[in-house]
Amino acid sequence: MNSAVTHAAPDSGAPPNPHGVAFGEAFRVWVRVAALSFGGPAGQIAVMHRIVVDEKRWIGEHRFLHALNYCMLLPGPEAQQLAIYIGWLMHRTAGGLVAGILFVLPGFLSILALSYLYVTLGSVDAVEGLFFGLKAAVLAVVIQAVVRVGGRALKNRAMIGIATAAFLAIFVLHVPFPLIILAAAIIGFLGSKSGSRLFQVGGGHKAAGGAVLSDADALLGEDIPDHARPNLRWSLKISSVLLVLWLLPLLLLYLFLGPGDIFTQIGVFFSKMAMVTFGGAYAVLAYVAQEAVQRFGWLTPTEMLDGLGMAETTPGPLIMVLQFVGFMGAYRDPGSLGPMTAATLAAILTTWVTFVPCFLWIFLGAPFVEKLRGNAALAGAMSAITAAVVGVILNLAIWFGLHFLFRSAGVYSIGSISIELPVWTSLSLPSLLLSLAAAIAIFRFKLAVIPVLLGCAVAGMLWPT
């Protein structure tokens, strides 16, 4: 047994220091992680692993992957939740709060600044060309996500069947994303419980190669700190505080502004998103496109693509694109406020209701996470969800391609089935050529996402549409 174990009270928020890592040092590390958190969840998790496990040796490989597997079972951005988990494991509640907030803050500020630029200078040729180029790169990146996630998840006929059913459900029948995820989870859970090997497939992110740091050799050691052990009193206390912080603003908006107000709609809608965002930003964006674009009319499909381009080129979780959706919704319907003031407040509200629940899931569940280790039924549910996400992301890629490559499209219906198809004569040659160039750069020359995004942005500015 490692003697380096904290004996502080489990419900204390003050950072313990049994492992020799000062809270100030940890703060600087989380600032560094946040500043380097580009490239989507895979890149963000790789950066965190390199710094926290390989370089700083805070925790071992097994503990890192165990925490990641738990975060993958949760709704929300797994990379940010992993940062909260490790911060909490090292320095209790204060450590989790600092790690989680810093992970989001650079992206929030960057996208807010780009949103101001977008609505004030969006009609300027150079800016218009920049976002045109970003959309071409984003289309290639989403297709890459289909290939990457599909290669990991679709290991047998059951997973391929789930992915196909999920795609048809959302593309043809327009089944809501949460129902697709719920159905996949139930199928995976029951399939795994039945003992079928078709649902016993691995998944998740792999750590970087090289020597593996054992938990015993890490600074935290093998033992579980006292504050990390299940404690019902602490769990109820922290859950109550976070629930109030999450839901009280929604209640006040409902009471004072009414259910039809844009801020109430934004708060409620993105709170729902916080509970169903399994599979990452690419998966949930299909549902956001269904609702925010087609139902609420907060922004156009083209603007949705522009928002994802912003999220791809700034640090932080890709789900930060939701901030831009809320910004545009309030900018178009500011009520009695000025458009920019309303948009700024909506961006803050969207970010708040999107990320406060992430702290709730970690602080409430992490002390009990050891009970999930080796649970085959939950692993089966997660595998089925990941397979369904492949179908959902494929739908997103088709939706993006339809609205970027073609200037017009039409909806064709047969009974309850409706499919949106392009008007082939409206094909945009510049969009097609730049998208092909981005795809070649990613798939043929294996370039990283950020250089491709920047290259397409420059190309778009030189050849605006």
Side-chain angles (χ1 to χ4, degrees):
M1 298 286 287
N2 190 311
S3 61
V5 180
T6 176
H7 298 286
D11 59 346
S12 170
N17 190 22
H19 37 62
V21 180
F23 189 72
E25 179 186 349
F27 182 92
R28 291 188 291 273
V29 168
W30 292 119
V31 169
R32 183 180 166 202
V33 169
L36 297 174
S37 59
F38 293 90
Q44 293 158 1
I45 291 168
V47 166
M48 212 179 310
H49 182 275
R50 175 169 55 82
I51 294 175
V52 172
V53 178
D54 296 337
E55 182 182 323
K56 297 297 181 180
R57 302 173 68 88
W58 284 358
I59 61 175
E61 182 80 15
H62 183 265
R63 181 167 256 158
F64 181 91
L65 293 177
H66 180 60
L68 175 58
N69 288 336
Y70 171 62
C71 294
M72 289 185 65
L73 291 172
L74 302 173
E78 63 217 47
Q80 191 238 3
Q81 290 170 334
L82 180 60
I84 298 172
Y85 190 108
I86 297 173
W88 162 80
L89 194 59
M90 295 293 291
H91 292 100
R92 255 184 283 173
T93 311
L97 289 172
V98 165
I101 292 171
L102 287 176
F103 198 88
V104 171
L105 188 59
F108 169 78
L109 295 175
S110 300
I111 291 181
L112 187 61
L114 288 172
S115 300
Y116 290 153
L117 177 68
Y118 188 82
V119 296
T120 55
L121 299 175
S123 60
V124 176
D125 285 347
V127 176
E128 203 171 65
L130 182 147
F131 283 103
F132 165 72
L134 287 179
K135 284 195 284 283
V138 164
L139 178 58
V141 169
V142 175
I143 294 173
Q144 181 193 39
V146 176
V147 174
R148 185 179 65 243
V149 180
R152 187 179 73 232
L154 307 185
K155 298 297 187 181
N156 56 55
R157 63 182 184 274
M159 298 300 135
I160 294 173
I162 291 172
T164 303
F167 170 73
L168 293 175
I170 196 168
F171 182 73
V172 177
L173 301 177
H174 307 290
V175 176
F177 173 70
L179 293 182
I180 294 174
I181 293 300
L182 177 61
I186 293 172
I187 292 171
F189 184 86
L190 295 177
S192 185
K193 290 285 285 186
S194 72
S196 172
R197 290 191 175 186
L198 295 175
F199 295 89
Q200 298 173 5
V201 293
H205 303 268
K206 294 182 180 179
V212 173
L213 176 66
S214 69
D215 291 344
D217 293 332
L219 292 177
L220 191 61
E222 288 183 306
D223 289 340
I224 301 174
D226 284 352
H227 70 268
R229 301 180 188 277
N231 182 289
L232 185 60
R233 175 173 171 264
W234 180 83
S235 295
L236 292 176
K237 177 182 176 181
I238 195 70
S239 300
S240 299
V241 172
L242 289 168
L243 275 174
V244 169
L245 289 174
W246 177 16
L247 299 180
L248 182 59
L250 303 183
L251 178 61
L252 295 175
L253 288 170
Y254 186 90
L255 292 176
F256 288 98
L257 299 180
D261 185 81
I262 184 67
F263 289 101
T264 307
Q265 291 178 341
I266 286 173
V268 171
F269 177 71
F270 290 113
S271 290
K272 292 179 183 177
M273 289 297 94
M275 294 186 286
V276 299
T277 49
F278 299 95
Y282 291 127
V284 77
L285 278 181
Y287 183 53
V288 173
Q290 267 185 349
E291 299 293 306
V293 175
Q294 299 173 15
R295 178 184 169 194
F296 291 109
W298 290 339
L299 72 175
T300 67
T302 298
E303 290 167 343
M304 190 79 184
L305 279 165
D306 291 335
L308 187 56
M310 293 181 193
E312 289 276 12
T313 51
T314 53
L318 294 180
I319 204 70
M320 294 298 299
V321 65
L322 300 185
Q323 173 191 333
F324 176 73
V325 177
F327 180 97
M328 293 301 298
Y331 184 82
R332 291 230 162 82
D333 183 16
S336 60
L337 300 174
M340 202 66 81
T341 301
T344 304
L345 293 175
I348 295 171
L349 174 63
T350 301
T351 304
W352 183 265
V353 299
T354 297
F355 289 102
V356 168
C358 294
F359 293 93
L360 173 61
W361 311 144
I362 295 298
F363 289 151
L364 177 61
F368 303 92
V369 70
E370 291 299 324
K371 294 183 179 180
L372 295 176
R373 182 176 297 180
N375 190 307
L378 285 177
M382 193 64 217
S383 297
I385 288 174
T386 305
V389 162
V390 175
V392 174
I393 300 175
L394 176 59
N395 169 75
L396 180 68
I398 293 174
W399 188 85
F400 275 1
L402 179 68
H403 291 281
F404 177 62
L405 299 177
F406 299 90
R407 293 186 174 90
S408 60
V411 177
Y412 300 87
S413 301
I414 303 176
S416 60
I417 297 175
S418 63
I419 302 176
E420 189 176 13
L421 295 176
V423 175
W424 295 99
T425 55
S426 68
L427 177 66
S428 168
L429 187 59
S431 299
L432 178 63
L433 292 177
L434 195 52
S435 296
L436 286 174
I440 291 171
I442 288 176
F443 290 100
R444 175 66 179 85
F445 296 104
K446 310 296 182 183
L447 293 185
V449 170
I450 295 300
V452 174
L453 287 162
L454 294 177
C456 286
V458 172
M461 293 173 69
L462 296 176
W463 189 9
T465 57

